[in-house]
Amino acid sequence: MTNSPSQSPQITVNGTRRSLARTPSYLSLLDYLRGQGLTGAKEGCAEGECGACSVLVSRPDGAGSSWVAVNACLPPAVGYDGQEIVTAEGLGGSDGLHPVQEEMAHRGGSQCGYCTPGFVCSMAAEYYRADRAPTAHGADSATSSTTVAMDTGAETATDHEHGPNGFDLHALSGNLCRCTGYRPIRDAAYALGRPSAQDPLAHRRNEPAPEAVPTRVTDGMHEFVRPSTLHEAMTLLGDDRETRLVAGSTDWGVAANLLMARSPVLVAIDRLPELRELHEGPDHVEIGAALTLSEIERRLDGRVPLLAELFPQFASRLIRNGATLGGNLGTGSPIGDSPPVLLALESQLVLASTRGERVVPLADYFTGYRQTIRDSDELIKAVRIPLPLAASAAFHKIAKRRFDDISSVAVAFAVDIEDGVVRRARIGLGGVAATPLRAYETEAALEGRPWTLQTAQAAARVLGATGTPMDDHRASSRYRAAMLRTALLKFHSQTATQEVDA
Amino acid sequence: MSSLSERPANPVVGHPIPHEAADLHVTGRALYTDDLVGRTKDCLHAWPVQAPHAHAAVTRVDTSPALDVEGVVRVLTADDVLGVNDAGVKHDEPLFPTEAMFYGHAIVWVLGETLEAARLGAAAIEIDYEPLPSLMTAREAIAAEAFQGAQPHMERGDIDRGLQDAAHVFHGEFEFKGQEHFYLETHCALAMVDENGQIFVQSSTQHPSETQEIVAHVLGLHSHEVTVQCLRMGGGFGGKEMQPHGLAAIAALGSVLTGRPVRLRLNRTLDMSMTGKRHGFHTQWRVGFDADGSLVALDATLTADGGWSLDLSEPVLARAVCHIDNAYWIPNVRVNGRIARTNKTSQTAFRGFGGPQGMLVIEDILGRCAPLLGKDPADLRRQNLYGPDQTTPYGQPVRQWDRLERAWEQVVTDGDITRRQQEVARFNATHADSKRGLALTPVKFGISFNLTAFNQGGALVLVYKDGSVLINHGGTEMGQGLHTKMLQVAATALGVPLTTVRLAPTRTDKVPNTSATAASSGADLNGGAIKNACEQIKERLTQVGSQHFGVSPADIRFEDGVVSAIGSRAEPMLWADLTQRAYFQRVQLSAAGYYRTEGLHWDSSIMQGEPFKYFANGVAATEVEVDGFTGAYRTRRVDIVHDVGESLSPLVDIGQIEGGFVQGAGWMTLEELVWDESDRPTRGKLATQAASTYKLPSFSEMPEVFNVALLQQAHEEGAVYGSKAVGEPPLMLAFSVREALRQAAAAFGAPGGSVELGLPATPEAVFWAIEDARSGRTDGGVERGSRAQQHVPDQPGPDAHPMHPRSEELASEPAKA
């Protein structure tokens, strides 16, 4: 990165450079594109739920790059200064359809067509995923399997969610269609081959993604800054203005669109190298706060099983391509999905400011509804997960919908059982109080006791009385309390089954 | 075979072709109303000020602060209305109200140079309210006797005798929620003043003619001064049948007053908080079965939660009453209907239009009562299906009862139901913490608008000298594939390749006085009209061909763009050569087509007659698996056999069936409208007014195995090229999902138990049903025997008035100047 902020911000859309000058910081990438006369990306919800606005962005991937699908409705357009994006129009047009478009069109994947360009972009990202490879057992499950065993434990993908071509249906978890019932879209996805050697977007992956360009743009009332260093970001955070940090903007974008939230200063930290490190040491794993959840998922590759269980249940692929752990913890929301997991893992946070750094246990971090011990000049630099990990772990998310929903209750378990006795239990909870909670009393009710149904039932009664769950449109307080209770019984049944299986 | 239904040799209809605009959809080049804004110069943007009360008088409006906001151009209020301040056809929906009737009611609108300016302007406007008492639920309205509109009454046989003679009598109540359309494209209108004062409104509307009428009456103009165009909609589902009119009128009014184009687009929050939804219902019922489990009597009172104004609530309720039998013969029936007036959005059309609500009542009854009768629910349903020589409670013969039976048997065979029922039983016996359920439900759905006058369609077909064909019709495209079918119909009727025919967007200045594209009738009505226009042209061309070939007109054949004469040695000629020749012979190459559905008669004041041209039939079998710890579930497999007649366009029809099913499954299981019913200041606010809180089915709700078959040998004598309507009926196939969940939940208890299940059957609702089953509360929430007998559903009060057959009423009304 260079140090001089961009004077004439611009973005490359479908291979053409367009100016971002005079673009207010509150204008989303979607509204910018539509203002440019591009009609492919649509607004369906303006909160990153429907995916009608999905576009492809070139992101760093090793020495080369990858095409990543994101919701255009959430990030500020000026945050894409120097970046390269592709919309449905850029994939194909009157001179010929892209293979993804071809499959979608001819298999009846579009009816009203409004969600279609977004589906096409999300599907294209998966089409271009470098490590997508045909699955051994996927071939017959896509169309004819009748008895896929349901994994009543983890809400992870089962076979029908992967195509014979290696297509992961979760790539489309952030796209909603109200017309088709999805079957033809799935068939289109599972029929895709591999990109040809001549495919320009496939070829583009061999080149590095554009670097983040330091940017400073204002319309007089709203300033957008992409600092070039962490120090610059921390300095901005320390000044007197009401500064808002954004990474993927998956939370802030919703407020900006629907609540008309406006900030005098938006500071984009998603590409600061200091916040994007992932380090696996002997004592802990340290995860940079600005890595996207998708990046963490790929780089850890299952080495923290509880996180691996969390990611497919965390919002959608489109959101995970923008959202960060720093953001999920930074908002302080009691219903974020990462805090219960990170609490069960006994994580620590590295908080940084121009005054220096401090390391705090996550369990001490939340102080009240959307309140934390983080000072106004501090940012979350990294999350530390101590090693070794507990041997048994599970994440139970209670929600109405399996893909892309906000949990009414979330429970994470990290438990060590030796010789049939619970040696150590760590339980993190979300959705049952004004803050995420550690279930200390339940942990105490488990530790040192034999891992029997009786122990689980006794501890379940304790867990069921934890927190102060409320009634809202997601669930009743009674159901929330019941879910706390049954979570432990379900965990017992899962671990008991595992023992039998082993 | 009628000439309407008969197919020529090698027809273009019947081929599985993709949506006509599929290539435009996938490349992002298909234009929706809001996409036109980028092509419109100097467009203004509209934003409303919404009332923050469930019910309140507006005591003061000060718009001046908005005008101080940079970029605000004008504020529209009641004083600006040039014609009638009314957004509906029943004169109960003031466009600019003096009384806020629901939380989020738009009081005034701001026009700004940018959307940001309009929104900031709206935030600056000061309005004082005097809160008034409000009613939030049908129950509250019933207690307050707050009803609106007519109260239909349908009766057959002797309900008292029927119940007395029944071996088993049950009583229960059932209250269920509505559904948000959640078309992916929210409401949008773009209005401008064209040349010579002509108002041109582009609107995302299912009913351009009515949008035109409302715009005209708000502006104080005649219909010929207003043109409405709809390029396409990003979904409609009934939500754009009545609701677009007022929004289009606001845009048009703004455009007339400022002289500039005005764009009005609701974002999702506005759309969900302001526009109508599917009606929720409150129902009370008594039902009687004979000793074998055959239905003998049904006494029910349906209360539709209409929201603040009538909108389409009367015809929705009429259709609900007419569908309470679903596919079952019930000799003695009494059904009363009424519409609650509540302080919510004015509920409106939604795919099925009341039919689903009526059908749900009987399916819920059968699901709850089957175990109490000692019957397998599938057997109970099967034995009660209509048989030969039986009629509906409103007197219409069920002529195709055999199709219901065939569909049922095919699902049982192809779905391997008997073996799988055993497999489910085995699974349930060996799994304590998860259970499966497998349920079959039928659908019989009446096709035609209940209101006879709406059953007409128009078209305009233009053939140019070069043989190319341009068709217009009165229907709108919302994704259902109507335009695709219409192209196929025109190509079939003219005997030309599909590529010869192009379709122009729906406009009121091409085809006037159109009906809403609704009631699944789009292809029947407009297809009939297009076929009629094409046949007029073909008849003239046949004369030209007859002269050319020197044969009788009866021997001229049009096929795949080639015109030939049977028994002639002359070379066949190309279609384009014939049209060229016709032009020079001064033969008219265009025609207006018209179609009206014959054979309908209906008297809504007594709810008797034959309101439907035919019934669409279908059967679905759904298998689910439920997690006993959480109530969460998966749909493992769905098998459907559905009757679309002889399909005009199989890929389109399969898409309608699958999409309708999943949309129905969303209503059954997931989609939850939660209104604030508390006494807090937010009383009346819709708590689920966003995609993040109102959850649509996503990929995770798609059945893991999804088999859909079209019923074969299903030619429909009375419809275009032997086809049937398909838009709405498949939605109700999803009742099988809820019934499967009910059975799975009950399986957590002792055998033979019955459980009540909430609607939507969210994981939480399923969990409580499981808890009921586990703890032995397995009476299905119904009372039985003599106690049930005494629960007579509410009967109409002295003020109740029957429905009016509005078509007759209009016919006798003198024409307005």
Side-chain angles (χ1 to χ4, degrees):
Chain A
M1 276 189 203
T2 57
N3 281 313
S4 58
S6 166
Q7 297 302 312
S8 53
Q10 55 184 7
I11 181 173
T12 302
V13 183
N14 302 332
T16 304
R17 284 191 184 178
R18 292 169 184 264
S19 172
L20 284 162
R22 291 181 300 281
T23 300
S25 70
Y26 55 77
L27 198 78
S28 68
L29 178 59
L30 173 64
D31 286 344
Y32 169 80
L33 291 171
R34 295 186 59 78
Q36 295 282 307
L38 289 159
T39 56
K42 311 279 191 200
E43 181 181 311
C45 69
E47 55 171 350
E49 287 274 342
C50 77
C53 61
S54 172
V55 298
L56 296 165
V57 56
S58 176
R59 289 259 183 86
D61 187 359
S65 60
S66 58
W67 289 108
V68 174
V70 296
N71 292 298
C73 71
L74 297 175
V78 286
Y80 280 73
D81 182 11
Q83 299 299 301
E84 206 176 307
I85 70 162
V86 172
T87 69
E89 294 104 319
L91 288 172
S94 44
D95 52 342
L97 298 182
H98 185 275
V100 164
Q101 295 171 328
E102 185 81 25
E103 293 295 343
M104 279 289 280
H106 293 164
R107 290 177 184 271
S110 76
Q111 286 186 20
C112 85
Y114 195 85
C115 70
T116 312
F119 265 103
V120 163
C121 288
S122 295
M123 201 181 283
E126 180 68 3
Y127 174 71
Y128 288 118
R129 179 162 62 87
D131 56 356
R132 178 174 64 86
T135 52
H137 55 270
D140 60 350
S141 68
T143 51
S144 63
S145 133
T146 55
T147 52
V148 178
M150 177 165 132
D151 178 1
T152 53
E155 305 278 18
T156 49
T158 51
D159 282 348
H160 67 96
E161 287 166 2
H162 288 86
N165 57 356
F167 193 102
D168 179 2
L169 211 50
H170 284 255
L172 306 178
S173 60
N175 292 81
L176 293 175
C177 169
R178 191 56 155 163
C179 296
T180 63
Y182 299 101
R183 195 273 313 157
I185 300 177
R186 180 193 65 182
D187 286 1
Y190 288 2
L192 292 168
R194 297 206 59 81
S196 77
Q198 291 78 40
D199 186 317
L201 294 180
H203 191 69
R204 171 72 185 81
R205 298 175 303 178
N206 301 325
E207 306 293 322
E211 289 198 7
V213 179
T215 307
R216 196 178 269 267
V217 180
T218 181
D219 65 355
M221 286 173 68
H222 313 94
E223 186 175 23
F224 176 89
V225 187
R226 180 180 291 286
S228 53
T229 65
L230 176 61
H231 187 265
E232 190 188 341
M234 294 190 302
T235 307
L236 281 162
L237 203 50
D239 75 17
D240 292 338
R241 294 184 299 174
E242 198 186 310
T243 301
R244 171 70 60 163
L245 296 179
V246 290
S249 203
T250 54
D251 196 58
W252 173 252
V254 179
N257 291 339
L258 299 182
L259 307 175
M260 271 202 99
R262 301 287 180 260
S263 176
V265 199
L266 275 189
V267 178
I269 56 171
D270 51 308
R271 297 290 287 272
L272 292 173
E274 299 93 328
L275 303 183
R276 293 181 41 79
E277 287 166 13
L278 193 150
H279 173 71
E280 295 180 62
D283 302 329
H284 63 253
V285 178
E286 184 162 317
I287 303 169
L291 286 166
T292 68
L293 299 180
S294 294
E295 287 172 320
I296 301 168
E297 183 176 16
R298 284 188 62 192
R299 290 175 62 176
L300 285 179
D301 196 22
R303 285 191 294 278
V304 180
L306 195 50
L307 283 177
E309 202 178 327
L310 162 71
F311 290 131
Q313 301 184 65
F314 190 113
S316 67
R317 172 62 70 199
L318 290 174
I319 292 292
R320 294 197 295 276
N321 287 341
T324 63
L325 283 184
N328 204 230
L329 297 169
T331 63
S333 165
I335 52 172
D337 278 345
S338 74
V341 165
L342 295 174
L343 283 169
L345 293 171
E346 292 189 279
S347 305
Q348 299 171 317
L349 299 187
V350 181
L351 300 178
S353 69
T354 52
R355 296 173 288 128
E357 291 186 4
R358 57 176 175 147
V359 179
V360 299
L362 182 62
D364 299 341
Y365 172 75
F366 301 102
T367 55
Y369 181 72
R370 287 187 179 267
Q371 288 179 329
T372 69
I373 61 168
R374 184 167 61 89
D375 288 327
S376 63
D377 67 340
E378 281 182 313
L379 54 74
I380 302 170
K381 188 183 174 193
V383 176
R384 276 186 195 162
I385 299 171
L387 297 175
L389 299 168
S392 299
F395 177 60
H396 295 177
K397 174 169 176 167
I398 306 297
K400 283 181 190 163
R401 194 171 70 192
R402 203 154 50 78
F403 282 5
D404 193 10
D405 198 357
I406 294 167
S407 56
S408 51
V409 175
V411 187
F413 297 100
V415 178
D416 280 311
I417 301 160
E418 287 169 28
D419 305 325
V421 175
V422 181
R423 294 297 169 200
R424 185 180 165 82
R426 295 292 177 266
I427 302 171
L429 309 176
V432 294
T435 66
L437 293 181
R438 267 278 294 277
Y440 292 111
E441 290 177 1
T442 310
E443 294 170 5
L446 289 168
E447 287 180 349
R449 291 192 168 80
W451 187 221
T452 59
L453 186 59
Q454 288 76 8
T455 302
Q457 284 170 337
R461 282 193 287 276
V462 179
L463 188 56
T466 306
T468 50
M470 56 184 258
D471 284 308
D472 68 7
H473 53 80
R474 292 199 173 88
S476 68
S477 57
R478 203 159 68 94
Y479 181 64
R480 285 186 162 102
M483 290 305 97
L484 286 179
R485 183 166 47 76
T486 62
L488 195 54
L489 301 175
K490 183 169 178 173
F491 180 63
H492 179 266
S493 121
Q494 288 171 326
T495 49
T497 308
Q498 281 167 13
E499 281 164 20
V500 171
D501 287 348
Chain B
M1 206 176 270
S2 71
S3 66
L4 179 64
S5 70
E6 189 183 353
R7 291 186 178 192
N10 300 321
V12 179
V13 293
H15 286 285
I17 60 169
H19 194 284
E20 47 90 26
D23 286 5
L24 297 180
H25 293 156
V26 297
T27 54
R29 291 179 298 143
L31 295 180
Y32 302 79
T33 303
D34 201 49
D35 294 330
L36 303 167
V37 174
R39 307 175 164 217
T40 307
K41 204 168 174 296
D42 295 334
C43 195
L44 296 176
H45 304 260
W47 197 263
V49 180
Q50 294 182 276
H53 298 283
H55 189 198
V58 175
T59 55
R60 184 183 71 99
V61 179
D62 184 0
T63 60
S64 56
L67 300 172
D68 296 336
V69 174
E70 191 186 337
V72 169
V73 173
R74 181 157 186 151
V75 181
L76 301 177
T77 71
D79 296 339
D80 295 312
V81 176
L82 303 166
V84 185
N85 181 14
D86 182 55
V89 292
K90 293 184 179 294
H91 301 286
D92 64 346
E93 294 182 62
L95 191 55
F96 298 95
T98 53
E99 190 174 321
M101 297 300 291
F102 63 99
Y103 197 105
H105 203 162
I107 307 297
V108 299
W109 291 78
V110 179
L111 304 181
E113 296 283 353
T114 61
L115 191 61
E116 184 83 355
R119 291 177 76 167
L120 290 170
I125 286 178
E126 294 169 13
I127 301 182
D128 290 344
Y129 299 92
E130 185 186 315
L132 298 168
S134 57
L135 299 168
M136 288 315 302
T137 65
R139 274 180 201 278
E140 286 177 5
I142 291 168
E145 295 186 20
F147 302 112
Q148 55 187 334
Q151 301 196 9
H153 173 87
M154 179 178 79
E155 192 159 355
R156 170 173 71 187
D158 184 333
I159 192 67
D160 292 325
R161 172 69 61 83
L163 287 168
Q164 261 163 30
D165 294 349
H168 306 274
V169 179
F170 304 103
H171 150 81
E173 293 194 356
F174 180 32
E175 193 171 8
F176 53 91
K177 292 179 176 174
Q179 184 180 23
E180 163 64 32
H181 303 85
F182 216 108
Y183 25 66
L184 262 286
E185 178 214 21
T186 49
H187 278 282
C188 188
L190 174 63
M192 61 190 75
V193 182
D194 223 346
E195 192 272 335
N196 199 16
Q198 164 86 9
I199 312 300
F200 183 51
V201 184
Q202 310 228 48
S203 170
S204 183
T205 177
Q206 287 176 243
H207 200 169
S209 284
E210 201 166 74
T211 303
Q212 175 195 26
E213 281 170 43
I214 300 292
V215 167
H217 92 208
V218 169
L219 296 180
L221 299 174
H222 292 100
S223 289
H224 70 180
E225 294 167 284
V226 177
T227 298
V228 173
Q229 171 169 292
C230 177
L231 294 182
R232 58 173 57 77
M233 282 166 277
F237 313 115
K240 294 172 180 171
E241 183 172 347
M242 282 290 286
Q243 307 287 302
H245 309 333
L247 304 170
I250 296 281
L253 181 63
S255 185
V256 166
L257 294 174
T258 62
R260 292 174 59 179
V262 173
R263 165 234 200 179
L264 187 162
R265 176 184 164 276
L266 302 184
N267 74 1
R268 184 60 63 183
T269 316
L270 294 181
D271 196 298
M272 290 190 74
S273 61
M274 286 168 58
T275 69
K277 303 160 198 328
R278 186 191 293 286
H279 294 70
F281 271 56
H282 172 277
T283 69
Q284 309 160 317
W285 51 265
R286 290 186 299 171
V287 68
F289 296 88
D290 71 13
D292 294 334
S294 292
L295 284 158
V296 292
L298 175 65
D299 187 10
T301 294
L302 313 182
T303 308
D305 185 347
W308 72 279
S309 71
L310 264 183
D311 191 278
L312 290 163
S313 294
E314 285 175 316
V316 163
L317 178 61
R319 186 166 274 268
V321 169
C322 287
H323 279 78
I324 199 163
D325 58 328
N326 188 12
Y328 308 110
W329 163 245
I330 316 170
N332 302 290
V333 176
R334 177 173 69 182
V335 183
N336 285 293
R338 56 192 177 179
I339 302 159
R341 187 196 294 280
T342 55
N343 296 101
K344 293 195 260 203
T345 54
S346 183
Q347 313 317 9
T348 191
F350 193 143
R351 202 175 197 169
F353 202 76
Q357 288 94 325
M359 292 154 76
L360 248 182
V361 175
I362 191 70
E363 292 301 341
D364 186 73
I365 288 172
L366 295 178
R368 284 158 80 174
C369 293
L372 307 178
L373 292 165
K375 285 264 181 184
D376 178 272
D379 294 341
L380 183 66
R381 291 188 165 93
R382 174 71 182 82
Q383 90 176 69
N384 278 294
L385 290 181
Y386 275 108
D389 304 320
Q390 291 176 337
T391 58
T392 63
Y394 46 91
Q396 176 149 358
V398 183
R399 297 184 182 89
Q400 295 175 341
W401 60 272
D402 59 309
R403 291 194 185 189
L404 277 169
E405 198 171 276
R406 277 204 286 138
W408 187 283
E409 295 311 326
Q410 192 181 333
V411 165
V412 168
T413 307
D414 296 354
D416 201 6
I417 298 298
T418 311
R419 182 188 62 76
R420 284 170 56 215
Q421 281 173 328
Q422 292 164 0
E423 199 177 281
V424 166
R426 258 200 315 277
F427 179 91
N428 290 349
T430 52
H431 290 73
D433 298 328
S434 57
K435 302 286 181 192
R436 291 180 180 168
L438 172 56
L440 281 77
T441 58
V443 166
K444 173 188 118 292
F445 189 81
I447 299 299
S448 295
F449 289 95
N450 268 67
L451 176 57
T452 305
F454 284 173
N455 296 294
Q456 56 176 321
L460 179 64
V461 173
L462 313 175
V463 178
Y464 295 92
K465 279 181 286 185
D466 67 355
S468 61
V469 180
L470 186 66
I471 63 172
N472 294 266
H473 62 88
T476 53
E477 176 63 38
M478 59 195 103
Q480 83 280 41
L482 176 61
H483 286 354
T484 312
K485 288 182 171 177
M486 295 304 96
L487 288 164
Q488 288 178 281
V489 166
T492 302
L494 293 172
V496 298
L498 200 55
T499 49
T500 303
V501 188
R502 203 176 154 264
L503 185 143
T506 315
R507 284 175 71 118
T508 56
D509 58 358
K510 294 290 197 313
V511 180
N513 311 318
T514 57
S515 294
T517 307
S520 307
S521 67
D524 280 9
L525 299 180
N526 299 292
I530 281 184
K531 184 164 183 284
N532 171 253
C534 289
E535 282 169 353
Q536 294 174 43
I537 295 167
K538 201 163 95 176
E539 194 177 311
R540 294 179 210 138
L541 288 172
T542 300
Q543 295 296 335
V544 177
S546 159
Q547 285 169 18
H548 170 78
F549 288 111
V551 299
S552 154
D555 292 334
I556 299 294
R557 293 287 177 274
F558 295 77
E559 201 176 318
D560 203 27
V562 176
V563 185
S564 57
I566 296 174
S568 166
R569 294 183 170 206
E571 281 287 300
M573 74 192 298
L574 293 175
W575 159 263
D577 292 337
L578 181 64
T579 56
Q580 190 80 260
R581 181 175 290 264
Y583 169 77
F584 282 105
Q585 291 180 13
R586 295 189 291 168
V587 171
Q588 189 190 357
L589 287 174
S590 65
Y594 181 76
Y595 172 78
R596 60 181 213 168
T597 315
E598 300 295 346
L600 306 179
H601 60 93
W602 177 241
D603 183 344
S604 58
S605 63
I606 52 168
M607 298 293 280
Q608 289 293 319
E610 289 199 37
F612 305 122
K613 181 71 180 172
Y614 55 83
F615 294 104
N617 307 291
V619 173
T622 296
E623 183 180 335
V624 299
E625 182 171 318
V626 170
D627 174 15
F629 292 110
T630 61
Y633 43 80
R634 291 176 186 231
T635 303
R636 290 168 45 78
R637 175 169 169 176
V638 173
D639 293 87
I640 289 171
V641 174
H642 191 76
D643 167 21
V644 300
E646 208 174 331
S647 177
L648 289 178
S649 199
L651 193 63
V652 166
D653 284 346
I654 298 267
Q656 287 297 294
I657 296 168
E658 291 175 334
F661 179 88
V662 170
Q663 191 172 65
W667 181 35
M668 290 299 102
T669 63
L670 188 63
E671 301 177 32
E672 195 164 17
L673 290 167
V674 181
W675 310 79
D676 189 336
E677 294 167 12
S678 74
D679 288 326
R680 291 189 292 267
T682 47
R683 176 174 170 84
K685 186 177 180 180
L686 179 61
T688 51
Q689 57 178 18
S692 53
T693 49
Y694 185 86
K695 306 308 283 190
L696 303 188
S698 78
F699 258 110
S700 53
E701 283 63 46
M702 181 186 67
E704 292 168 18
V705 178
F706 201 178
N707 300 319
V708 175
L710 304 180
L711 187 72
Q712 298 300 302
Q713 281 105 48
H715 182 86
E716 179 58 42
E717 183 67 22
V720 61
Y721 290 129
S723 65
K724 269 188 180 180
V726 70
E728 294 163 292
L731 181 121
M732 285 72 86
L733 294 167
F735 293 173
S736 57
V737 181
R738 179 163 172 268
E739 292 307 316
L741 288 170
R742 185 200 304 281
Q743 291 170 214
F748 283 91
S754 171
V755 292
E756 264 188 289
L757 181 61
L759 193 162
T762 56
E764 173 167 358
V766 172
F767 181 78
W768 296 128
I770 292 170
E771 289 286 276
D772 280 350
R774 282 174 174 150
S775 59
R777 287 188 296 272
T778 50
D779 61 359
V782 305
E783 293 198 89
R784 43 205 311 181
S786 57
R787 283 175 60 85
Q789 275 282 14
Q790 290 154 19
H791 283 282
V792 181
D794 294 353
Q795 296 301 302
D799 299 340
H801 63 83
M803 302 276 289
H804 292 295
R806 187 162 162 265
S807 50
E808 295 155 36
E809 195 180 292
L810 286 179
S812 61
E813 210 176 314
K816 289 197 181 104

